[in-house]
Amino acid sequence: MRVHFSCGDNLDLFHFGRTLAGLYAQPGAAIRLRRVGWISNPLCAAIEVDGLRLAIELSDHSDWWDQGLLEWCDVYAKRNLNARHVSALQQKIIPLGLNWACRSRRSMAAALTAIAPTLPRASKGRLREIYRYLATPHWKAFEQDPRQPVDRTILFQTRVWEAREAPGEYGINDQRIGLLRALKKEFKHRVVGGVVPTPFAFSFCPDLVTNLPCRQPQYVRWAKKSLIGIYFRSLFDSLAFKMAEYLAASKCIVSEPILNQLPAPLDFVCTYHSADECLAACERILCDPSLAQAQRQQSWEYYLAQVRPDAHWADLLQRTRQHAIAGRAVSAN
């Protein structure tokens, strides 16, 4: 399999880490990474696989597409795909699936080689972005199979955002803080985590700011210990990294409804529409070891089939080929 991966000078390696790790894990793949001038968005890449053109777009926004890539490609894999927002070339678009920040040694070495010529003129901000990628754990560091013992605790860790950081996202801070307070009131010390410390967090909800690990490598090791992970929507209703992280750690997941389209439904997670429903779901899991074990197993199986970098890329490539063939058949008729 011959693969050409094209991106701009400013590729967001932190967000593309899982894609690159999965690509370099494919058996027998001959991969060439190259920088091109016609791709300017750091969350976009163009991939050619044995004559098939695949675009990957990782934006938080379900109402945005890279029009140039959309016209160029045979298939456009979008991270945040929502039926409420459609494009004129909707027939090309498929869901990318869950993403999260991770890497592998081979993919990291290849990525650094590809961007090396840009480093002498890189800004301090760009160098910080690259360091953020380098500090990301290997994808296997997130894994914990359901046979491993865990604490009967509920993980809830979140950020709060200033208005300038999340324009248009009215109420998201209050939603998160209200749910966290309800969980802490009901389950007390069994709720671990809190609000990530930032200057705004100390002014907005100082009593909820956590002193537990927040830097990613330390957080990943610590967060695997909890039985339950609480999932809530990310900014602009995007799919948050935490869902993939929870699945990799075989957690029981209590989640807000997932509005985004996925290659395979997350129909085994416990869904809540209110704080009371969230509390009730947590209580059921904590009180029923057989239910907890079954949900951990389902999370792990979904991870192995849909989220693990090597499996995700293999599945994406298969779906891309099938979608392209179906599209050509429709065009021919």
Side-chain angles (χ1 to χ4, degrees), residues 135 137 212-225:
L212 294 169
C214 294
R215 293 177 63 86
Q216 195 189 29
Q218 293 77 30
Y219 169 78
V220 168
R221 289 193 295 270
W222 166 76
K224 290 195 292 188
K225 299 176 183 179

Side-chain angles (χ1 to χ4, degrees), residues 100 142 144 154-158 219 223 226-232 241-255 296 299-300 303:
W100 94 102
F142 294 83
Q144 177 173 255
I154 301 165
L155 174 64
F156 188 117
Q157 186 134 309
T158 187
Y219 169 78
S226 292
L227 171 65
I228 298 172
I230 304 296
Y231 180 87
F232 36 86
F241 287 178
K242 66 170 62 67
M243 180 60 81
E245 294 170 357
Y246 288 170
L247 293 165
S250 65
K251 290 191 183 302
C252 300
I253 301 170
V254 179
S255 171
R296 291 189 69 194
S299 290
W300 181 244
Y303 168 75

Side-chain angles (χ1 to χ4, degrees), residues 8-253:
D9 286 349
N10 58 348
L11 181 72
D12 190 324
L13 291 170
F14 184 74
H15 283 81
F16 265 98
R18 196 278 295 267
T19 296
L20 290 169
L23 185 56
Y24 276 87
Q26 299 308 299
I31 304 164
R32 179 187 175 196
L33 266 60
R34 59 185 180 183
R35 294 174 292 106
V36 296
W38 61 276
I39 300 176
S40 59
N41 192 294
L43 296 173
C44 293
I47 300 174
E48 297 175 78
V49 184
D50 297 336
L52 187 65
R53 293 180 170 185
L54 169 65
I56 292 184
E57 181 248 285
L58 305 180
S59 171
D60 283 343
H61 298 272
S62 59
D63 59 349
W64 182 87
W65 302 265
D66 186 301
Q67 193 62 32
L69 271 180
L70 192 52
E71 294 172 359
W72 168 86
C73 70
D74 298 307
V75 177
Y76 187 102
K78 183 172 177 60
R79 172 185 164 215
N80 287 303
L81 183 58
N82 192 304
R84 296 178 301 172
H85 302 128
V86 296
S87 162
L89 296 173
Q90 192 68 24
Q91 72 278 5
K92 289 187 175 185
I93 303 174
I94 63 173
L96 174 73
L98 296 168
N99 192 36
W100 94 102
C102 63
R103 61 170 178 81
S104 69
R105 288 184 179 179
R106 286 188 64 202
S107 61
M108 181 178 68
L112 291 178
T113 300
I115 67 170
T118 71
L119 296 182
R121 63 178 186 275
S123 66
K124 290 183 179 179
R126 175 60 172 163
L127 292 175
R128 283 194 296 269
E129 291 175 4
I130 294 171
Y131 173 77
R132 188 185 185 197
Y133 166 66
L134 297 179
T136 303
H138 191 286
W139 51 269
K140 291 184 179 179
F142 294 83
E143 294 184 350
Q144 177 173 255
D145 73 59
R147 297 170 298 180
Q148 301 302 312
V150 291
D151 298 335
R152 294 178 67 254
T153 54
I154 301 165
L155 174 64
F156 188 117
Q157 186 134 309
T158 187
R159 293 182 65 93
V160 290
W161 305 92
E162 295 183 69
R164 62 178 177 81
E165 297 176 299
E169 274 290 5
Y170 307 110
I172 193 168
N173 289 338
D174 292 335
Q175 292 167 8
R176 293 180 176 186
I177 296 309
L179 181 57
L180 178 56
R181 291 193 189 282
L183 285 163
K184 283 184 170 290
K185 181 179 179 181
E186 180 70 20
F187 297 105
K188 299 179 174 57
H189 66 278
R190 286 184 290 178
V191 177
V192 297
V195 178
V196 173
T198 64
F200 177 67
F202 280 112
S203 66
F204 184 75
C205 51
D207 58 313
L208 296 176
V209 174
T210 182
N211 60 359
L212 294 169
C214 294
R215 293 177 63 86
Q216 195 189 29
Q218 293 77 30
Y219 169 78
V220 168
R221 289 193 295 270
W222 166 76
K224 290 195 292 188
K225 299 176 183 179
S226 292
L227 171 65
I228 298 172
I230 304 296
Y231 180 87
F232 36 86
R233 70 182 183 91
S234 192
L235 293 179
F236 316 112
D237 291 328
S238 61
L239 290 163
F241 287 178
K242 66 170 62 67
M243 180 60 81
E245 294 170 357
Y246 288 170
L247 293 165
S250 65
K251 290 191 183 302
C252 300
I253 301 170

